[in-house]
Amino acid sequence: MRTYLVTGGAGFIGSNYIHYIFGKYGDEIRVINLDDLTYAGNPENLKDIENRDNYRFVKGDVCDTDAVRAIFAEEDIDRVVHFAAESHVDRSIKDPLAFVRANVLGTVNLLNCAKEAWEKEDGTYPENKRFLHVSTDEVYGSLPEEGGYFYETTPYAPHSPYSASKAGSDMLVRAFMDTYGFPANITNCSNNYGPYQFPEKLIPLMINNALQGKKLPVYGDGKNVRDWLYVEDHAKAIDMVQEKGKIFETYNIGGHNEKQNIEIVKTIIEVLREELPDDDPRKAHVTEDLITYVEDRKGHDRRYAIAPDKIRAEIGWEPETMFKEGIRKTIRWYFEHQDWMENVTSGDYQKYYQSMYNV
Ligand code: NAD
Ligand code: DAU
């Protein structure tokens, strides 16, 4: 039985990944989920698996050396999949220190503890041990509107405190590979969307606001481009990199699915209108009249676009979910889980929303 330590497994991508690996491997694996349950971590995301015998939840901070060491002492960890991070660019602009702490210190602490537990006396590592660091395409900076792609060889040029802290964490993983021969991979993925995403991010925020008849705040001219990937495709890619990827390598993950933000917002309105029954009173206000252009994000990256050539050629990964299908699945999920949305938007979310959007 293979044992995984997943960090940040109660967040958006982490919880989708845990669902994915239980769906694929069932009782053949054991999963330890280390999550500090920040505002973005939600145990409800894993309700259907919390009673499995081969699942254990540990509430703890990745920066806490004693807590991480204790997990490596108690469990024979074969795979680390490191998601835990502060992940929202707008929050990083307001509070950069929190991002450096969680993302940089958290990663080096996890690396140190894994190295301590796995390294043999001769300085090598057992064959079955693998550490996967989940990173972002934002470390590469911004592309011109006219074209170009992010490759694994693209120089790092982060702009926001978030992307700079992720770049710092990637550099530490590289340093552990180069200095200690530590068995790791880095993945740099584009924008994810799908179930369980916290409504501070573009797609769930727009779905939630539209259903409530609230304004849809589009930053700047709405023409910034992101490369969208359905979250389950990301989960699958991570699993494939761990099982088939070459050790020490970086893989870019993305779906050649570039869209301007304004296109995304208009697609959400269109699909919501198709999905809402005619007698639903919300249908009257879900229209493009809700779109409101607001002040731009500071240092707003213009365009991201991933070249997924390496992961396709070396590992055979391809995205499976087309955007039209993925966005419909996502919208249906939010329709069917309105209690989830109500739970995560009560309390502190209201304060965040008011201070972020000046309402
Ligand atoms: P998220 O904000 O939804 O979840 C983050 C999770 O980490 C939460 O459960 C939170 O409680 C936990 N966490 C935060 N700080 C912690 C700490 N110090 N100790 C333990 N747990 C902590 O984030 P997400 O969107 O699921 O992103 C997960 C990872 O994937 C991040 O590393 C992010 O940089 C990366 N990533 C995200 C995207 C995207 O589009 N969302 C794309 C590429 C890469
Ligand atoms: O590219 C991968 C990254 O994608 C991840 O590393 C990050 O963790 C993740 O949050 C995401 O970052 P973005 O900044 O691209 O995502 P966000 O959903 O915050 O914004 C997407 C685009 O939409 C961006 O150009 C800003 C814009 N936007 C966002 C919000 C929340 C708006 O126009 N209005 C909004 O209210």
Side-chain angles (χ1 to χ4, degrees), residues 23-84:
K24 179 166 178 193
Y25 299 113
D27 291 336
E28 290 166 27
I29 57 168
R30 174 167 168 74
V31 176
I32 320 301
N33 174 12
L34 172 66
D35 195 301
D36 208 21
L37 298 182
T38 68
Y39 78 92
N42 184 355
E44 231 183 299
N45 297 359
L46 294 161
K47 222 173 174 36
D48 51 331
I49 59 130
E50 68 187 7
N51 294 323
R52 288 186 79 114
D53 291 338
N54 55 342
Y55 172 74
R56 175 182 165 202
F57 176 72
V58 179
K59 181 179 171 345
D61 184 344
V62 282
C63 301
D64 179 343
T65 304
D66 292 343
V68 178
R69 258 193 198 141
I71 295 174
F72 278 98
E74 288 156 14
E75 308 276 350
D76 184 13
I77 304 292
D78 303 301
R79 302 275 185 274
V80 174
V81 184
H82 179 35
F83 293 97

Side-chain angles (χ1 to χ4, degrees), residues 191-195 228-234 321 326-327 329-330:
N191 285 62
N192 285 215
Y193 69 101
W228 293 93
L229 182 70
Y230 192 63
V231 63
E232 206 175 284
D233 283 331
H234 187 186
T321 311
I327 195 72
K329 268 179 32 183
T330 303

Side-chain angles (χ1 to χ4, degrees), residues 182-197:
F182 182 78
N185 290 102
I186 300 172
T187 54
N188 294 91
C189 188
S190 62
N191 285 62
N192 285 215
Y193 69 101
Y196 303 112
Q197 189 169 29

